Amino acid sequence: AQSVTQLDSHVSVSEGTPVLLRCNYSSSYSPSLFWYVQHPNKGLQLLLKYTSAATLVKGINGFEAEFKKSETSFHLTKPSAHMSDAAEYFCALGGSQGNLIFGKGTKLSVKP
Amino acid sequence: GAVVSQHPSWVICKSGTSVKIECRSLDFQATTMFWYRQFPKQSLMLMATSNEGSKATYEQGVEKDKFLINHASLTLSTLTVTSAHPEDSSFYICAVGLARPNEQFFGPGTRLTVL
């Protein structure tokens, strides 16, 4: 079965410190993986995607993620958090029907 | 990417009435659109997949007679919540599917509150 697990429901960091949002997946085939960000009462914005090319994927706003097959992980990182990064982040796995399977989300708080 | 709009952005209605939500792909001809709902502090759950010119495919547990989906053109899909009840209050988000597998661009969402 396909599934996505976001290990932390809430992550709090100080401005200027690194961000790590964790995502693990389960898939019986080679996965496509995505990270989206959602600000309050807004739709989702694509941060980055992995589709079987380079395992280290760079996205927008300084975010990047590394696909690790051996660990079935696709963690999202950013070297230095900014106040504007405070939002909800969703990891998603591409389904076999063209759909997306979402994790439960991680709320990122950034303290000044 | 694709630019996707939704209208209205929020709506309040009385229990028992019907509400229509529009999803438009502004710069891309979308043969496939997706409808999601999101309860507070929860993830997105796919309700149905809408293909232009054909009937929508509903996910298990989603009542197709209650959530009517029409995808009459390549730029417009509508979701009608019929006989809405307070438990239908949620954030409804549509997404446009691109030719690349699994890649979707999302609308800004519609907040529905049923009194």
Side-chain angles (χ1 to χ4, degrees):
Chain A
Q2 299 169 275
S3 66
V4 177
T5 302
Q6 290 184 245
L7 297 158
D8 307 294
S9 59
H10 189 195
V11 170
S12 182
V13 300
S14 296
E15 190 174 22
T17 64
V19 175
L20 170 64
L21 305 182
R22 297 183 292 168
C23 174
N24 285 91
Y25 70 92
S26 175
S27 177
S28 56
Y29 51 82
S30 183
S32 296
L33 292 158
F34 305 80
W35 274 100
Y36 287 89
V37 60
Q38 184 182 33
H39 292 277
N41 294 310
K42 302 291 185 183
L44 274 66
Q45 180 184 18
L46 179 66
L47 283 176
L48 49 80
K49 61 182 178 182
Y50 167 77
T51 53
S52 76
T55 56
L56 182 61
V57 182
K58 293 187 184 299
I60 61 171
N61 301 336
F63 285 95
E64 62 181 39
E66 186 172 8
F67 173 71
K68 292 187 176 180
K69 185 177 180 180
S70 61
E71 298 177 9
T72 60
S73 70
F74 190 57
H75 301 335
L76 181 71
T77 61
K78 183 173 181 177
S80 176
H82 192 272
M83 294 297 292
S84 61
D85 295 327
E88 189 88 21
Y89 291 79
F90 291 95
C91 180
L93 170 68
S96 58
Q97 307 299 317
N99 57 318
L100 288 171
I101 301 163
F102 285 91
K104 293 189 175 182
T106 298
K107 181 178 180 179
L108 176 65
S109 299
V110 182
K111 298 173 289 186
Chain B
V3 180
V4 183
S5 70
Q6 281 185 241
H7 177 80
S9 55
W10 58 270
V11 57
I12 301 173
C13 69
K14 293 181 179 179
S15 185
T17 61
S18 294
V19 174
K20 180 184 283 188
I21 301 170
E22 293 186 347
C23 175
R24 292 184 184 274
S25 176
L26 301 182
D27 59 352
F28 181 79
Q29 293 191 320
T31 54
T32 304
M33 289 185 175
F34 302 88
W35 285 96
Y36 295 85
R37 65 188 297 179
Q38 183 182 29
F39 290 108
K41 301 186 187 301
Q42 294 190 28
S43 189
L44 280 74
M45 298 299 295
L46 180 65
M47 298 175 66
T49 303
S50 162
N51 292 295
E52 187 266 338
S54 63
K55 291 184 178 180
T57 302
Y58 290 80
E59 295 299 301
Q60 193 171 10
V62 178
E63 300 175 60
K64 62 180 181 181
D65 294 330
K66 181 171 182 62
F67 298 99
L68 301 178
I69 292 173
N70 184 289
H71 191 164
S73 77
L74 290 172
T75 59
L76 174 65
S77 177
T78 60
L79 167 68
T80 301
V81 183
T82 62
S83 186
H85 291 282
E87 58 265 30
D88 298 323
S89 298
S90 187
F91 196 50
Y92 291 86
I93 305 175
C94 72
V96 166
L98 301 190
R100 292 185 289 275
N102 305 117
E103 191 161 340
Q104 299 178 20
F105 285 85
F106 289 80
T110 297
R111 172 76 59 193
L112 170 63
T113 301
V114 185
L115 302 176

